[in-house]
Amino acid sequence: MSPEPTGPDGGGRADRPRGRGLVRRRRPRPPRSRRSRVVRAALFSLAGVLLVSGVGITALWVKLDGNISQIDIDSALGPDRPEDSPNGSMDLLVLGSDSRAGTNGAYGSEPGARADTAMVVHLDAGRDTATVVSIPRDTLVSRPACDRTGGGTAPAQARSMFNESYTVGGPACTVKTVEEMTGLRMDHYLEVDFTGFSRLIDTLGGVEITTTEAIDDRDSKLDLPAGTHTLDGEQALALVRTRKAVGDGSDLSRIQLQHTFLQALADQVSGLGLVTDPKRLYDLADTATSTVTTDKDLASVSELAGLARTLQGIDTDRIRMTTLPVTYDPADPNRVVPMETQSRAVWDALRHDRPVPESALRGSAAREGTVQSVTSGGGAPARAAE
């Protein structure tokens, strides 16, 4: 997938999209706090595929284990990595990739693949608190030297778009880049690609959303009139990929739209009644385990189920989702760069198993660029989850 600019149509923040879609769930719900709404999105962002793969699996353990693709990150990166936290906390890199390989060729013919969506998920030592930090894909970072996917070594690059690390060296290079920028060792890796996301939505029977204004984005091939829709897999994928139909057309606005969609998806999954529907349970478990790629140590149903149970056991008030503090790059308004002091405070907080301080999020473009055109829950605007 060719790099998409942070600003719409490569024009930076000055160009505003014409169409702005308002997305909300159909059924009215009692008002809930902003944190409560965001928390549900954060939980499903990490655990959506895990929740359906971690139940009802005893009789089909071996088959489902065989579905899971795995990568030996430890062998690929060797010993030159940050020390693991001695306090017992856990850090995971959760990735959505935009590879056009294999069945993903239906989404375009661009060579290579990139990290379309990336989140660092921190579980504290007691496993009763979680922090999720989204990394905008258009963030300019210092990429370390990486082994290329096709052989050879890519030299380090000082100003490389974050999502290009996946193109250069696949998951191992992405993990290496994240570890260098955060100073945190990633204990686990979890990836879902375009086809996997679409299949999961179709297996769920679609996801119901309501748009209060039309959404028309030719790039993502999404055309929804105002009203209530049950999105199939292709439409849901188009919605979470769209940039020009919401907010200011930036990747930061798209991250917020994804949070809103994942919230609706989480609500729907929680109401499926899987325990009383064995066939649907199996279909979802089979699809979920077939669509994920994990690190070697996480590549089993027992490990995934254990992680899912851990996530389910965390009270929603103790999960926080945020976006890496960034500002627009002075040399290229279509890109963002980490705010050095604030970003360091975020990663230091995770390293020491502490809450991210409010001061680390002030002034971030991710916080200021709220998507007023996206609503959820009781109808309040969905703000950046800072």
Side-chain angles (χ1 to χ4, degrees), residues 127-329:
R127 301 298 188 265
D128 57 5
T129 301
T131 303
V132 182
V133 183
S134 294
I135 303 175
R137 65 180 190 174
D138 292 346
T139 306
L140 294 176
V141 301
S142 294
R143 177 182 54 74
C146 288
D147 291 338
R148 293 187 183 275
T149 303
T153 301
Q157 185 172 334
R159 282 171 55 88
S160 176
M161 210 162 77
F162 171 77
N163 67 349
E164 291 178 348
S165 61
Y166 192 99
T167 307
V168 170
C173 186
T174 303
V175 170
K176 189 174 183 179
T177 300
V178 169
E179 290 186 342
E180 179 155 305
M181 68 185 291
T182 65
L184 301 170
R185 184 186 180 100
M186 295 296 107
D187 298 293
H188 291 298
Y189 173 84
L190 177 71
E191 175 187 335
V192 181
D193 66 14
F194 281 175
T195 301
F197 179 85
S198 179
R199 284 180 56 201
L200 185 62
I201 299 302
D202 282 337
T203 306
L204 285 167
V207 174
E208 187 177 88
I209 58 96
T210 296
T211 58
T212 58
E213 290 183 7
I215 296 179
D216 185 5
D217 187 337
R218 293 182 181 179
D219 286 351
S220 67
K221 299 180 175 59
L222 181 66
D223 184 5
L224 294 175
T228 299
H229 312 275
T230 299
L231 305 184
D232 61 20
E234 291 292 314
Q235 291 172 312
L237 179 60
L239 181 68
V240 298
R241 293 180 63 212
T242 190
R243 290 187 302 109
K244 299 177 182 178
V246 294
D248 63 1
S250 73
D251 190 43
L252 301 179
S253 292
R254 182 173 67 162
I255 287 174
Q256 295 171 49
L257 175 61
Q258 290 171 350
H259 294 173
T260 303
F261 173 82
L262 290 169
Q263 178 186 337
L265 181 56
D267 285 345
Q268 180 160 327
V269 170
S270 66
L272 286 178
L274 297 176
V275 175
T276 60
D277 190 343
K279 183 180 186 306
R280 171 169 277 192
L281 182 89
Y282 168 74
D283 288 344
L284 287 171
D286 189 38
T287 299
T289 53
S290 297
T291 58
V292 298
T293 298
T294 74
D295 66 276
K296 184 178 180 181
D297 292 337
L298 195 59
S300 72
V301 172
S302 60
E303 291 295 329
L304 289 173
L307 180 58
R309 285 191 293 270
T310 296
L311 291 166
Q312 287 177 291
I314 298 176
D315 188 270
T316 55
D317 289 336
R318 299 184 67 84
I319 303 176
R320 190 174 193 192
M321 191 168 189
T322 188
T323 302
L324 178 69
V326 293
T327 187
Y328 287 95
D329 179 33

Side-chain angles (χ1 to χ4, degrees), residues 34 37 370-376 379-384:
R34 173 170 62 90
R37 295 194 304 271
T370 59
V371 181
Q372 301 293 340
S373 59
V374 179
T375 61
S376 137
R383 298 179 60 84

Side-chain angles (χ1 to χ4, degrees), residues 57-103:
I57 57 176
T58 304
L60 300 163
W61 202 274
V62 174
K63 179 187 185 304
L64 296 180
D65 265 355
N67 286 346
I68 304 167
S69 299
Q70 62 178 280
I71 297 171
D72 192 344
I73 298 291
D74 287 339
S75 294
L77 296 185
D80 187 19
R81 303 176 65 185
E83 291 292 329
D84 202 3
S85 173
N87 56 30
S89 61
M90 178 187 294
D91 295 289
L92 309 92
L93 177 61
V94 180
L95 204 71
S97 70
D98 66 355
S99 170
R100 271 29 178 226
T103 55

